[in-house]
Amino acid sequence: MSATPTPTDAFPAPTPRRLLAAAWALRIQFFVSGALFATWGVHVPTVKAHYGIGEQALALAMLASGVGALLALTQAGRVIGRFGPRGVAGLTGLLCASGVSLLLTPSVYGGLVGILLLFGATASLFDVAINAEATEIEHLAGRPLMSGFHAMFSLGGMVGAGVGSLLPLLGWTPGTHLATACGVAVLLILGACAAMLKMRAAGGEKQPMSLPRGVLALIGTLAALGLIAEGAMYDWSVLFMKQERGSSASVSALGYASFSLAMALGRFAGDWVRARVAPVPLMVASGLMAASGMALALLVPVEQAGLLGFALVGLGLSNVVPVLFSAAAKVPGVSAAHGIAAVSSLGYLGMMAGPPLIGMVAEHSSLTAGLACVVVFAVFMALSAGRALGGARAPGSTEGGVGATS
């Protein structure tokens, strides 16, 4: 999901017990990352009402998050190479959680923009750091683990959205929820950082970031489109249920939860599926399923259709990142690390910048029209699968190390 630097060497060589502890610590970090995104997503309608803004102003504030992420990504390799994934994850995780807790604190729109700029920058660096550690752990373990790590992100999103759905029924205010979520996240991040591997600094990224070309550019474009769709679910699904379907706050939050649960289940089974289904048919099926689910949610004006549709979108998108990143690692003439970094950078940019684009369409038309972009993007992914992945094979016999990143 994010730009993955070249793995560094761990020291000393971890024992199996130490490696297992580090893997579980990293699963907690992915879980927290997903929960923080969900907490922000659940409170998009609250933020909109708190600042008295429309979809376009909200979209521009979200764009600040994308700008922060893009600026941070240009320095991610250098920062993580110097301080190591554990140190960067600790600091940026705490700042990211703090940003979420402050969402409703300012009384002016400019304060929201500043907070989302901080959130985007720290969330992207946190994401890169834990993906760098995940790549090294998978390499040391000698077997595919990355889909399971990313499944924990989706599980965190489901739990975060579920908690956001339940607490209003218990009388919790949005401010209390945000403060509590921040406190719990801080404790989990600090505890998990203590168990992460200490990795040797690599002296920073020597090669400047460059835009991918050729088939790598197409793979990166598909990753960006897939993550635009994923980001749309994070940022707009709750507001869609509340505004377009007239759902209660609790039912609206379940729209996000259904998407996250389906994505988590798809990712937990991801390594098994990818070992048995070739990339092109898997990508085609994934795109068509996501498009069908989004169309169902948009065209059938009942709550149940929305919840089912979002679940199908989550299941359809769950294997997009593993398939595309595996293909990026095998592009001829490009190192695995460079291919993954280039594609994941475009993908992360799509995830952060896509929701504001959808918001602008919603402001000038409707949120339904904005989310219809997801249908178009998903169909394009299915139609372009053969060209982007035609030379790729199912990863069952070749997966390992960086090439197994998902």
Side-chain angles (χ1 to χ4, degrees):
M1 187 174 62
S2 51
T4 308
T6 304
T8 55
D9 296 324
F11 67 95
T15 63
R17 183 175 180 179
R18 177 74 178 89
L19 190 61
L20 180 62
W24 277 106
L26 199 59
R27 291 185 180 100
I28 291 173
Q29 300 284 41
F30 274 94
F31 178 90
V32 171
S33 179
L36 288 174
F37 268 100
T39 302
W40 152 239
V42 164
H43 283 289
V44 167
T46 309
V47 167
K48 183 172 181 284
H50 176 79
Y51 293 95
I53 56 179
E55 278 86 357
Q56 183 167 326
L58 182 59
L60 290 174
M62 291 177 180
L63 185 59
S65 178
V67 170
L70 180 60
L71 294 175
L73 282 171
T74 64
Q75 302 299 317
R78 181 178 293 108
V79 171
I80 294 172
R82 180 174 180 181
F83 299 104
R86 184 169 70 171
V88 175
L91 178 59
T92 58
L94 297 182
L95 290 174
C96 182
S98 299
V100 170
S101 72
L102 296 174
L103 281 171
L104 303 178
T105 300
S107 58
V108 295
Y109 176 72
L112 174 65
V113 172
I115 289 172
L116 289 180
L117 184 70
L118 170 69
F119 175 72
T122 55
S124 63
L125 282 175
F126 181 61
D127 187 57
V128 171
I130 60 179
N131 271 282
E133 176 98 350
T135 302
E136 181 68 7
I137 287 178
E138 184 179 64
H139 174 70
L140 291 171
R143 59 189 177 90
L145 294 172
M146 192 68 77
S147 290
F149 288 137
H150 281 266
M152 292 301 293
F153 177 90
S154 299
L155 184 61
M158 181 198 70
V159 172
V163 170
S165 173
L166 175 64
L167 292 183
L169 301 178
L170 301 179
W172 284 48
T173 65
T176 302
H177 175 208
L178 291 173
T180 304
C182 173
V184 173
V186 165
L187 292 176
L188 290 175
I189 289 169
L190 290 176
C193 280
M196 288 175 66
L197 296 178
K198 187 175 182 181
M199 297 165 66
R200 181 178 293 112
E205 180 65 51
K206 302 298 183 183
Q207 182 179 2
M209 183 177 292
S210 58
L211 294 176
R213 293 174 294 179
V215 68
L216 196 59
L218 179 57
I219 295 173
T221 299
L222 297 187
L225 295 180
L227 288 171
I228 286 174
E230 187 174 336
M233 296 296 99
Y234 293 140
D235 287 343
W236 294 110
S237 60
V238 176
L239 186 62
F240 174 83
M241 293 296 293
K242 184 176 180 63
Q243 184 171 288
E244 305 292 307
R245 296 293 175 259
S247 303
S248 66
S250 295
V251 173
S252 297
L254 289 178
Y256 182 101
S258 65
F259 165 80
S260 294
L261 174 61
M263 177 164 273
L265 292 175
R267 283 178 168 170
F268 277 123
D271 290 324
W272 185 89
V273 172
R274 291 172 57 223
R276 290 162 175 79
V277 181
V280 171
L282 180 56
M283 191 70 180
V284 171
S286 297
L288 293 180
M289 180 179 294
S292 300
M294 194 74 254
L296 174 64
L298 297 178
L299 297 177
V300 181
V302 294
E303 292 178 339
Q304 293 82 353
L307 297 179
L308 176 60
F310 290 156
L312 290 175
V313 174
L315 191 60
L317 295 177
S318 62
N319 280 303
V320 167
V321 169
V323 169
L324 293 176
F325 280 23
S326 179
K330 300 177 179 68
V331 173
V334 178
S335 70
H338 180 76
I340 292 171
V343 169
S344 58
S345 295
L346 282 178
Y348 198 93
L349 180 61
M351 183 177 182
M352 300 302 291
L357 173 64
I358 290 173
M360 292 178 185
V361 174
E363 178 73 17
H364 293 285
S365 179
S366 68
L367 187 53
T368 297
L371 288 173
C373 295
V374 173
V375 179
V376 176
F377 295 160
V379 170
F380 182 83
M381 286 190 292
L383 295 177
S384 302
R387 183 177 176 186
L389 307 172
R393 297 174 292 172
S397 60
T398 61
E399 203 167 38
V402 177
T405 305
S406 58

